[in-house]
Amino acid sequence: MTKEFIVCDPNKCVGCELCELACAIEKAELLDITRTRIFSIRVEPSLMMSVTCRMCESPTCVASCPRDALSQDEETGVIHVDEDECVGCGWCVEACEFGVIIEDAGKATVEICDLCAGRKVPACVEYCPKDALTLSTPVQIGQQTRKEVLGELLAELIEA
Amino acid sequence: MDAYTGRVLHVDLGRRKSQVEVLEPAFLQKYLGGVGLATRLLIDNGEPGCDPLGEENAVAIAVGALAGTMVPCGGKHAMAAKSPLTGFIGDSLSGSYWSNALRRAGYDAMVIKGKAANPTYVFVDNEYTLFRDAEALWGQESFATEEAIRAEIGDSRVRVSCIGVAGEKLVPYACVSNDRGRQAGRTGMGAVWGSKNLKAIAVRGTQPVSVAELEELNKLSLDLGERAQGLATAKYRVTGTVGNVLTLNRLGLLPTRNFQNSVLESAEQVSGEYLQSHFKEKAVACSGCPIACEQVVRVREGSYEGARVSVDYETLYALGPCCGIDSLPGIIKAAELCDRYGLDTISTGVTIAWAMECYEKGILTESDTDGLELNFGNHEASVALIERIALREGIGDLLAQGTKRASEKVGQGSEKFAMQSKGLELPGYEPRGLKTYALGLAVGTRGACHNRSLAYEPDMKGQVDRLKAEKGRGQIAAESEDLAATLDSMMFCKFIRGCFEDYHEEATEFYRLATGLDLSAEGLKEAGERICNLKKHFNVREGWEKKDDWLPARILEEPLPDGSGQGTTLVAEELRLMIDDYYEARGWTEDGLIPAEQLAKLGLEDLS
């Protein structure tokens, strides 16, 4: 499977939180930050990034659901929520290692990033003013990292 | 109502009560939000003639119509109170996430009155307003206060606005900090909070914000966000405002050694470019901002190793060149201390510069300065002074009063080089070489300020002869104040203004799509004029006289020392001419008062 997910480059992220609003607008058609499925976090004045579902292999959220309401799409890795089965118990929220599952208090179900199914580019990626968010596969992330490491090495060599 | 909530939260700290006032759409449209709304609420809720640090002073805080939405750079908040530094209107803005939280909690504004019996923080938890004990927070610096409150509430997304020790100690130029490193910096709002025993306002706002036309607004916002990556914001994005250092130095307009010079020989060492290459950690943004001008910098070695802070041009100018200091580590450390203690960096730096000149002239000696050698360029002394100012210890108690009062106390001609107007210390542009700007400083309602008047623009852009004082500048200055007032009330950050092709047209389009209220470009311009008159009205109410619109003697008596404009003077007659021209352009009397018919024209007849 291709397994793309939304990746944030912390060096580019400026912490503006526009991705959260973009998500809420797309998913809830409301400027309601409790409905975002991507989360901007700022740990230090200069350490910030956004995080959302990473489409894990063997996802703990799916395994934790007592009602088998969650399932993973084999093709895309997206976690589907069966709204008829989900009762919003929150086991998956606890199980998620990235803390990116939200409960919709109104519907008493959970919501997870689905890469804006039906949209060519996810809303947050489109909205990000600094191009810090990209849709990438693990293979692409590895390639990018290797390239950056080499670039840094080169810079060090030139400096030395 | 869309965008606006139509609700003001009134907080009485003495009685520990809160209540909600409902505002009509027409009222909101008249004052827009931000500075306009905050000023109106201050006029209505503060006691005329009150002691700025007394219980009767009110603090009004307002967000803009666009807070909580995705419109780029629309999420700041404005704070207004009678200033303990100037005795006139104190109004200060801060870029923030706090503003979004307040809107999402259901409010357009807050008004705080009275005085708490003990140190208190207010927790606005959506529809509930709680008064909490801040005894344990008293004495803590601003960052730590924010974190402690978030930990106590147990929610990392609670937004906090708070004061540091300087506010508690009633330093009249103490600021209010929010969101870890943003400040409502000028005119001493922090001291007003301190006088009320108000340590912080924490807000948890999680309710949806409605807008009239979501899809259209979203489209326009995306477009503006894209434009914000273009040339108009390049300076802010690439180096931040600190890029100004070399530009101003080249033009001979960089105030140096308390305005004794206008060129700093070693400016390269404190340039934005040098800061970038040696100290920058990251550029970060306020909420919803696609520009990200804030430069987080860190000292990596030496005696100030580990000092880390956001530095903008004004901070750098005041704590650097103005004090003759060309050591960036020393400037960064000083700025960090100001942020920790909660001091306005401009007033702090300019006050230290005044003390240094006093020391070099023998007006202050080592017996006055706790043994500190206050020579220009001595960053160790400036770092040492900041703590003393915040804690009001030793010489710090004198300097904590700002240049106006300190120089009145010390005398011996030091008033002539107290670089202030109405008590507010001058920002970092040399007024003798920028005469429209000089006029803006002199007539500014909150004192010497480059943000409430954008009159340096026509000077810098060459639209007028910047070295000439002439009739016509009054109109330019008035228009630039009106423009600033609309930005400060729409709460558009000034740094995005260059991204609009026609600001008034486009800003009102955003406003219309968000609020559903019809506001024309002309209407927006008129609101700007109304808000400027409103601020002036407040000042007149608090005892303003014509003589208060003036500049320091140094500017009027000494020719420009360096640079291309060397030898240029701005004599008293020239300033008088421009001020009279300004009053005329405003439709005010020769004495600078607002005639009743002018108030009526602007829909402010209830104030006459």
Side-chain angles (χ1 to χ4, degrees):
Chain A
M1 66 189 187
T2 48
K3 260 202 66 174
E4 285 182 311
F5 57 94
I6 291 160
V7 180
C8 178
D9 181 346
N11 293 318
K12 288 185 181 167
C13 176
V14 293
C16 71
E17 299 186 353
L18 280 170
C19 52
E20 294 189 347
L21 279 173
C23 183
I25 293 167
E26 179 69 21
K27 288 302 180 189
E29 290 176 15
L30 255 183
L31 293 170
D32 179 353
I33 40 130
T34 65
R35 297 292 300 280
T36 180
R37 303 173 187 193
I38 185 166
F39 306 88
S40 170
I41 25 180
R42 191 180 286 222
V43 183
E44 280 276 315
S46 55
L47 180 58
M48 55 205 63
M49 68 183 292
S50 293
V51 57
T52 185
C53 179
R54 298 180 71 85
M55 322 287 162
C56 309
E57 301 275 356
S58 315
T60 50
C61 58
V62 173
S64 74
C65 181
R67 298 175 65 90
D68 292 333
L70 302 188
S71 58
Q72 186 169 38
D73 187 303
E74 282 184 21
E75 190 65 32
T76 61
V78 166
I79 311 292
H80 290 299
V81 182
D82 182 341
E83 289 192 2
D84 294 331
E85 283 300 322
C86 176
V87 292
C89 71
W91 274 108
C92 57
V93 175
E94 241 179 280
C96 174
E97 297 183 32
F98 299 96
V100 293
I101 301 181
I102 58 157
E103 284 193 71
D104 177 351
K107 284 196 296 185
T109 58
V110 296
E111 293 180 337
I112 308 173
C113 169
D114 62 358
L115 302 178
C116 290
R119 219 173 184 279
K120 209 168 146 204
V121 182
C124 58
V125 174
E126 183 187 341
Y127 228 105
C128 179
K130 297 298 184 193
D131 297 328
L133 297 176
T134 48
L135 199 56
S136 294
T137 65
V139 172
Q140 287 170 326
I141 296 168
Q143 286 171 347
Q144 189 59 29
T145 308
R146 292 191 287 274
K147 243 166 73 181
E148 278 165 21
V149 166
L150 260 185
E152 278 167 32
L153 205 63
L154 186 67
E156 274 175 36
L157 277 174
I158 292 170
E159 232 171 78
Chain B
M1 208 180 312
D2 287 317
Y4 291 122
T5 60
R7 287 151 48 96
V8 179
L9 178 64
H10 286 267
V11 172
D12 185 329
L13 288 167
R15 292 170 50 236
R16 293 171 76 88
K17 296 267 185 235
S18 66
Q19 67 184 60
V20 174
E21 177 193 4
V22 173
L23 300 179
E24 295 304 320
F27 182 87
L28 287 163
Q29 188 171 348
K30 200 162 163 182
Y31 302 106
L32 297 175
V35 162
L37 181 57
T39 304
R40 180 70 221 203
L41 290 171
L42 171 64
I43 287 173
D44 294 344
N45 291 281
E47 195 64 42
C50 70
D51 170 1
L53 298 178
E55 289 180 32
E56 307 76 25
N57 197 2
V59 181
I61 312 174
V63 306
L66 306 171
T69 75
M70 67 306 220
V71 179
C73 302
K76 297 180 89 160
H77 64 269
M79 205 174 293
K82 185 172 176 181
S83 164
L85 189 61
T86 68
F88 296 122
I89 180 127
D91 60 295
S92 206
L93 313 184
S94 185
S96 82
Y97 296 80
W98 190 92
S99 60
N100 292 340
L102 191 69
R103 164 64 41 74
R104 288 168 187 153
Y107 302 106
D108 296 328
M110 282 182 84
V111 175
I112 299 127
K113 285 174 76 172
K115 179 183 181 178
N118 301 302
T120 297
Y121 81 85
V122 173
F123 178 27
V124 180
D125 189 3
N126 286 312
E127 62 266 47
Y128 303 105
T129 301
L130 310 168
F131 296 83
R132 290 196 165 188
D133 179 16
E135 206 77 60
L137 299 170
W138 210 249
Q140 292 213 36
E141 55 190 42
S142 45
F143 261 42
T145 301
E146 282 194 39
E147 290 312 325
I149 288 175
R150 274 191 276 270
E152 182 176 306
I153 293 169
D155 186 342
S156 63
R157 295 296 286 260
V158 165
R159 309 299 190 182
V160 180
S161 220
C162 67
I163 58 170
V165 180
E168 297 171 10
K169 297 276 186 189
L170 310 182
V171 177
Y173 50 90
C175 64
V176 177
S177 312
N178 58 274
D179 300 303
R180 294 197 265 191
R182 307 303 309 176
Q183 288 87 17
R186 306 223 73 191
T187 65
M189 298 295 99
V192 180
W193 284 39
S195 73
K196 297 184 173 307
N197 266 333
L198 175 64
K199 179 69 177 174
I201 302 175
V203 185
R204 173 157 55 199
T206 54
Q207 299 169 69
V209 173
S210 69
V211 290
E213 291 178 52
L214 182 61
E215 208 171 310
E216 269 302 298
L217 190 65
N218 202 26
K219 230 166 70 187
L220 225 58
S221 298
L222 263 169
D223 179 54
L224 184 60
E226 221 156 274
R227 277 190 265 165
Q229 307 307 319
L231 258 185
T233 60
K235 179 177 92 179
Y236 306 123
R237 281 183 291 116
V238 180
T239 53
T241 55
V242 287
N244 287 351
V245 173
L246 290 185
T247 311
L248 291 170
N249 198 54
R250 203 166 47 240
L251 293 167
L253 298 172
L254 179 67
T256 301
R257 287 178 280 270
N258 200 33
F259 292 73
Q260 292 183 93
N261 296 98
S262 54
V263 168
L264 178 69
E265 312 73 29
S266 49
E268 289 284 346
Q269 289 179 48
V270 292
S271 69
E273 292 74 3
Y274 195 84
L275 190 72
Q276 283 287 315
S277 55
H278 289 72
F279 300 95
K280 181 169 169 176
E281 204 165 72
K282 196 164 185 221
V284 302
C286 297
S287 74
C289 169
I291 300 172
C293 71
E294 189 180 335
Q295 309 289 314
V296 180
V297 296
R298 188 162 58 92
V299 181
R300 296 191 173 90
E301 55 190 9
S303 50
Y304 300 129
E305 185 182 337
R308 185 214 241 170
V309 72
S310 301
V311 173
D312 67 353
Y313 169 70
E314 293 298 335
T315 293
L316 197 153
Y317 132 79
L319 297 167
C322 195
C323 295
I325 292 173
D326 59 8
S327 150
L328 273 176
I331 296 168
I332 293 169
K333 183 65 193 177
E336 185 198 56
L337 288 175
C338 286
D339 280 11
R340 285 181 184 274
Y341 288 117
L343 286 166
D344 171 21
T345 50
I346 304 180
S347 286
T348 304
V350 176
T351 304
I352 291 175
W354 170 83
M356 286 177 161
E357 186 166 346
C358 285
Y359 181 82
E360 292 206 341
K361 289 198 155 80
I363 299 171
L364 292 176
T365 64
E366 271 173 48
S367 62
D368 303 306
T369 65
D370 315 329
L372 292 170
E373 291 176 18
L374 296 188
N375 296 98
F376 280 112
N378 184 352
H379 54 83
E380 281 155 4
S382 98
V383 163
L385 281 180
I386 289 168
E387 181 171 303
R388 284 175 170 77
I389 291 171
L391 302 174
R392 305 194 81 136
E393 285 172 355
I395 176 93
D397 193 46
L398 172 74
L399 302 185
Q401 298 171 46
T403 52
K404 182 165 189 268
R405 288 191 197 118
S407 67
E408 282 166 4
K409 211 166 202 175
V410 167
Q412 301 177 63
S414 69
E415 304 94 329
K416 292 195 168 209
F417 55 84
M419 301 311 290
Q420 53 78 28
S421 178
K422 297 189 179 69
L424 188 71
E425 283 71 22
L426 260 66
Y429 306 82
E430 173 51 68
R432 281 165 287 190
L434 296 165
K435 292 192 175 167
T436 326
Y437 161 77
L439 169 62
L441 291 188
V443 299
T445 45
R446 78 166 181 173
C449 173
H450 63 296
N451 271 326
R452 299 295 176 269
S453 160
L454 304 172
Y456 55 88
E457 269 192 346
D459 283 335
M460 293 290 283
K461 287 183 176 165
Q463 291 160 351
V464 295
D465 179 351
R466 64 181 172 85
L467 300 178
K468 203 167 164 191
E470 60 189 353
K471 268 188 94 102
R473 300 298 169 95
Q475 182 66 30
I476 295 173
E479 279 173 15
S480 99
E481 285 181 337
D482 293 351
L483 171 64
T486 70
L487 285 158
D488 296 344
S489 304
M490 289 288 286
M491 292 273 76
F492 267 123
C493 174
K494 298 208 171 67
F495 295 170
I496 200 145
R497 70 184 189 276
C499 299
F500 294 110
E501 275 164 39
D502 183 334
Y503 161 71
H504 291 95
E505 283 293 342
E506 291 175 55
T508 46
E509 179 72 356
F510 275 107
Y511 185 86
R512 190 184 64 73
L513 293 172
T515 64
L517 299 172
D518 200 24
L519 179 70
S520 66
E522 273 314 305
L524 180 61
K525 282 182 192 166
E526 193 186 292
E529 189 183 355
R530 179 181 304 122
I531 291 159
C532 288
N533 277 269
L534 201 58
K535 293 200 252 184
K536 174 68 178 224
H537 169 82
F538 179 88
N539 281 2
V540 171
R541 187 181 93 175
E542 301 303 321
W544 175 91
E545 292 173 56
K546 194 174 179 182
K547 66 171 174 47
D548 293 312
D549 283 355
W550 207 237
L551 288 175
R554 163 155 293 157
I555 299 299
L556 300 171
E557 292 171 10
E558 299 172 21
L560 189 62
D562 313 294
S564 55
Q566 191 179 25
T568 308
T569 53
L570 171 63
V571 295
E573 293 74 37
E574 289 179 313
L575 184 60
R576 182 82 273 147
L577 173 116
M578 290 197 294
I579 291 175
D580 290 343
D581 187 43
Y582 168 83
Y583 292 163
E584 199 185 322
R586 279 260 174 244
W588 296 347
T589 69
E590 280 178 20
D591 289 325
L593 301 171
I594 315 173
E597 57 269 28
Q598 177 72 7
L599 283 173
K601 195 193 104 190
L602 295 165
L604 298 173
E605 52 281 349
D606 62 319
L607 294 179
S608 58

